[in-house]
Structure formats: structure tokens, C-alpha cells
Amino acid sequence: MLLIPAIDLKDGKCVRLEQGDMKTATTFGDNPAAMARRWLDAGARRLHLVDLNGAFAGKPVNEAAVKAIVREVGDQIPVQMGGGLRDLDTIERFLDDGLSYVIIGTAAVKNPGFLKDACSAFGGHVIVGLDARDGKVATDGWSKLTGHEVIDLAKKFEDYGVEAVVYTDIGRDGMLTGVNIEATVKLAQALTIPVFASGGLSGIADIEKLCAVEQEGVQGVICGRALYNGSLDFVAAQKRVDELNGG
């Protein structure tokens, strides 16, 4: 079970939102590279970046901060990023900058052909981000709900060759109300590629529940607000995961 600290970028700073609402941004740091170093030193084995401005603008806005983070961690751990990745040239540039994985969300839903092309061009480096409320996929920074069922879309994208799915329950994101484990497991069981849980992580109990379903295909969880407000101690959580995994 990968515990993946999230660094959400808005105007070059590290923030957290509630349910994707930019007006709810809480700033947790002015130096994203220093934040990345903090999680690396705490034992993180992967980082998850979101360009929040980019998700709304339709193109990356916080590229300087992303580059600084990648420089800081070097090739010690993989870094994945989503938010505003809407064309192949942009993806290529970010991968050249040192990202290990790009996460395509809205563009995958609105333009599946683009996702297919990205998987062909950058096989092994493309993750799809599916954000859902009540089983239906949302796009455009969660502002628009589609009629697409999460599992149906995920299966289609798996056939395209995506590396993994980041599944976010947007009703829970940033709310510390607990991960939607039932929906995450249901999705993982329908796929052969890994699923990463996201949204609502509230503490160590959630992580223990996720470890119990890891064999279903839930291979990691994005850790956001719970890390930043202190309700989840990353070092202790990583130690617990290693214990549960027999490490």
C-alpha cells in the first residue's frame, strides 16, 4: 500500500481545498520544493502533485513549482502530476522535466481519443484521474457532472493502456470524512490495473481498512488534508503499513 502525500499547487503555494472549491483554499506552505523534501525525508515513496490553477485554466500554470519539486527529489522517488494536461506536447515537456507519471482527468473524459494517443506515445507514464459523485464522473475541476459511470469509463481507459486509476470521491475530498472504500474496491475489482484511493482520508483507521483490501487491487492512497492538519502522522502511518505488509 503506497501512502502518497499530495501537494496541491495554487499560485505557486501549497494549499488544500474542500470538495474542489477554490474559494476554500487553505495555504499550508509557500515553498513547494521544501514541502516535497519534508515528505521525502519522512519516507514517502511517491508524491502526488495537482496544479489546481491548471485544472481550471485548461493548461498548466504552476510549472515552475513542479520543476522545483522534481529538482528537489531528483530520481529518489516517482512524482505524478495532474491538472491542465490537455495536449501531447505539454505531457512530453513535463515528462522531460522529470515527472514519472502524468494524470489525465477532464481531458480523458471529454476527449478519449487524446487519452488513447497519450497512452500510445507515453506508454507506462499515463494515469487516468476519475473524479466521481454517486458513481457518476465529474469534470472541469468537479464543476460539471457527466452521465458517465465510473466503472464503464475506467474499463474503456484500461483497454487504452493507462497505467493506473486515481479514483476520487469528490463528496468527501478535503472533508476528512473517511475514504469511500466500498466504491473504491468495487472499481478495483472491475479492473486489472492498480487503483489509488483519493478523497476523505481521515486517519490511520482508513489506512488500515485500505490495507485490508489491497489484494482487491487498491494499491495506494493519496494523503491530503489529514497530513497537513496533523490528524495523520505520515511516519507512523508508513510504519503501520509496513507492519501490516509484513515489512
Side-chain angles (χ1 to χ4, degrees), residues 1-2 45 211 214 238 240-247:
M1 178 64 56
L2 273 173
R45 293 163 194 176
C211 284
E214 187 169 7
Q238 186 65 65
R240 181 66 180 134
V241 166
D242 291 341
E243 285 170 2
L244 291 169
N245 287 345

Side-chain angles (χ1 to χ4, degrees), residues 103-158:
I103 302 168
I104 302 175
T106 292
V109 180
K110 290 186 160 182
N111 185 1
F114 162 62
L115 179 67
K116 199 171 190 177
D117 290 344
C119 289
S120 297
F122 311 110
H125 297 283
V126 179
I127 294 172
V128 75
L130 291 177
D131 307 324
R133 192 191 299 275
D134 302 324
K136 298 283 197 237
V137 174
T139 62
D140 298 280
W142 305 349
S143 59
K144 295 176 184 170
L145 209 57
T146 72
H148 296 297
E149 295 284 342
V150 171
I151 288 175
D152 293 344
L153 264 189
K155 282 182 166 176
K156 181 164 91 170
F157 296 160
E158 179 176 40

Side-chain angles (χ1 to χ4, degrees), residues 152-189:
D152 293 344
L153 264 189
K155 282 182 166 176
K156 181 164 91 170
F157 296 160
E158 179 176 40
D159 289 342
Y160 289 175
V162 300
E163 187 71 10
V165 173
V166 173
Y167 172 66
T168 305
D169 184 317
I170 61 178
R172 299 180 183 226
D173 189 71
M175 304 305 288
L176 303 173
T177 50
V179 174
N180 189 338
I181 289 176
E182 184 184 356
T184 306
V185 168
K186 195 174 167 189
L187 177 61
Q189 288 172 335

